[in-house]
Amino acid sequence: MHDASSPEELSGWAAVLLRSDAHELAAILVDASQTVVATNGAAAALFDRNVVGEPLLESFEPGSRIKLGRALETGGTCELLLRGRGDDAPRVVHFAVLPEAGARHVLVGASNGQIWYSEAQGRELLRRNDELGVLSRQLARQAQELGQARTRLEHLNALRQQLTATLAHDLRNPLSAVGLVARELGRLGQGLPLTRVSALARRLERNVLRMARLIDTVLAAVRLEEDEIALDRTSTSLEDVVREAIDALAPLADERHVSVACAARGDTRALVDPTWMGQVLDNLLANAIRHAPQGSAVRVAISGDEQHVACSVSDQGPGVPPELREAIFDRFRQAGPHAGSAGLGLYLSRGVLELHGGRIWVEQPETGGARFCFEVPRATP
């Protein structure tokens, strides 16, 4: 093969022709600029020289250049006049012009005196080239799909392992607490005081609710991942949703001696699914309470304008470093010793808010701590 740069990604038959100097058919590879990139021995003999690196059209008579230029644009077969060298007369040649990858073309043919290259033969060669092209694209697409499936399986396996590890970690503490409470309650027959029984019962309830909240978050995150969350949006007072979440988390706040207060300004009616917004606020408030120092306060602020209802949940904890303020919303991302929900609470909150057409972010107030803010579309009056 005579070439300026080895042809790559050619159809099988084209590669064979270009690499064969024994074949009677001339094969010429041209690039997008119509410059000859490679030829076989039969082509070199047809042109009586090595034409690699030359503009293809210059080897033909002026009238044939128009015909060949058109064939390079549309494909097909053509009869051309090859320029003679010196006093030699032009020779009649027949070529089939076949498209290749990278805006290149392969010309296959011969002169009249060597092989009669008929129109029917050219059409058959074009048809086979098209079939090979379709097959190559199908194989490439299937290989890509298999690669994507393998990558997804590896990703799912990594997620399964990570979820198993985080669940085992997050469930260990409440399960241990439940076990301790159960053992103490077993001492009822030994004269355990009633006040102690009542305190143990409240502790048992808190830890059961904690495990239930974790399981609910994991199941909701799975539904989000599988695009199975269907919102039922209605005009809802976001203040009402916040106060319900505060009431539900009162046992956790009492356990950590953290006060939680809500202040609303303006019309707080938003176009949201109240159940899923309750899940979002439960996650944000539980996260704030866990990170707030004992004896400190968590503050919720709600305000509305013409287009959005905004809400912020602030704590007096260690805050979120600037480099983590995006990553903290990733799946399985946990920060600090009091992280919970298997690292899924903030991931779920962001996903649900985005489904509502809203957004969420975290910032650090001047007084310190962390402030998680979100906004959702306002309900039309």
Side-chain angles (χ1 to χ4, degrees), residues 34-147:
Q34 300 179 356
T35 300
V36 178
V37 175
T39 66
N40 64 359
L46 182 66
F47 286 96
D48 292 330
R49 69 185 190 281
N50 182 6
V51 294
V52 172
E54 296 182 9
L56 176 67
L57 298 183
E58 291 186 3
S59 295
F60 296 89
E61 290 294 315
S64 294
R65 295 176 188 176
I66 297 175
K67 188 186 300 184
L68 179 55
R70 188 180 303 117
L72 287 170
E73 292 178 358
T74 62
T77 61
C78 52
E79 182 180 273
L80 306 170
L81 283 177
L82 185 65
R83 290 176 56 189
R85 294 176 65 85
D87 296 332
D88 294 340
R91 286 173 292 161
V92 177
V93 293
H94 293 81
F95 278 107
V97 181
L98 308 171
E100 276 294 339
R104 298 176 298 179
H105 290 82
V106 173
L107 283 72
V108 182
S111 68
N112 231 3
Q114 291 176 296
I115 298 175
W116 178 253
Y117 198 75
S118 69
E119 186 76 17
Q121 288 174 312
R123 286 196 300 270
E124 177 65 14
L125 192 56
L126 287 170
R127 186 185 66 80
R128 291 183 179 273
N129 181 69
D130 289 341
E131 290 176 353
L132 283 170
V134 170
L135 181 59
S136 297
R137 288 191 293 272
Q138 289 175 343
L139 289 174
R141 184 172 62 252
Q142 290 172 356
Q144 183 181 21
E145 290 172 353
L146 285 173

Side-chain angles (χ1 to χ4, degrees), residues 14 23 42 45 89 106 119 123 125 143 145 180 260 267 335 357 359 361:
H23 206 286
V106 173
E119 186 76 17
R123 286 196 300 270
L125 192 56
E145 290 172 353
L180 288 172
V260 183
D267 189 350
R359 64 189 185 103
W361 67 97

Side-chain angles (χ1 to χ4, degrees), residues 39-276:
T39 66
N40 64 359
L46 182 66
F47 286 96
D48 292 330
R49 69 185 190 281
N50 182 6
V51 294
V52 172
E54 296 182 9
L56 176 67
L57 298 183
E58 291 186 3
S59 295
F60 296 89
E61 290 294 315
S64 294
R65 295 176 188 176
I66 297 175
K67 188 186 300 184
L68 179 55
R70 188 180 303 117
L72 287 170
E73 292 178 358
T74 62
T77 61
C78 52
E79 182 180 273
L80 306 170
L81 283 177
L82 185 65
R83 290 176 56 189
R85 294 176 65 85
D87 296 332
D88 294 340
R91 286 173 292 161
V92 177
V93 293
H94 293 81
F95 278 107
V97 181
L98 308 171
E100 276 294 339
R104 298 176 298 179
H105 290 82
V106 173
L107 283 72
V108 182
S111 68
N112 231 3
Q114 291 176 296
I115 298 175
W116 178 253
Y117 198 75
S118 69
E119 186 76 17
Q121 288 174 312
R123 286 196 300 270
E124 177 65 14
L125 192 56
L126 287 170
R127 186 185 66 80
R128 291 183 179 273
N129 181 69
D130 289 341
E131 290 176 353
L132 283 170
V134 170
L135 181 59
S136 297
R137 288 191 293 272
Q138 289 175 343
L139 289 174
R141 184 172 62 252
Q142 290 172 356
Q144 183 181 21
E145 290 172 353
L146 285 173
Q148 291 173 344
R150 183 179 66 251
T151 301
R152 178 164 176 78
L153 284 174
E154 292 172 351
H155 178 63
L156 289 175
N157 185 56
L159 289 182
R160 178 186 60 80
Q161 294 176 348
Q162 195 170 12
L163 179 59
T164 301
T166 51
L167 278 176
H169 175 270
D170 285 357
L171 285 173
R172 185 179 295 113
N173 288 338
L175 282 173
S176 297
V178 168
L180 288 172
V181 171
R183 283 194 293 273
E184 283 210 54
L185 288 175
R187 297 167 49 198
L188 277 174
Q190 302 175 15
L192 197 66
L194 188 59
T195 54
R196 180 59 178 162
V197 172
S198 178
L200 289 173
R202 289 195 299 272
R203 184 178 175 188
L204 183 63
E205 180 187 16
R206 285 196 298 270
N207 282 282
V208 169
L209 289 174
R210 183 177 170 188
M211 287 187 289
R213 189 177 299 112
L214 173 60
I215 292 170
D216 287 343
T217 300
V218 171
L219 292 176
V222 170
R223 292 179 63 185
L224 176 66
E225 188 75 15
E226 298 299 326
D227 294 326
E228 293 181 356
I229 291 181
L231 299 178
D232 182 16
R233 286 186 274 196
T234 60
S235 177
T236 303
S237 168
L238 202 59
E239 181 181 2
D240 290 345
V241 178
V242 168
R243 296 195 183 281
E244 288 177 8
I246 292 174
D247 185 62
L249 289 165
L252 176 62
D254 291 343
E255 181 183 15
R256 294 195 54 79
H257 305 289
V258 172
S259 64
V260 183
C262 172
R265 177 171 53 85
D267 189 350
T268 67
R269 288 176 299 165
L271 187 61
V272 296
D273 184 315
T275 301
W276 282 107

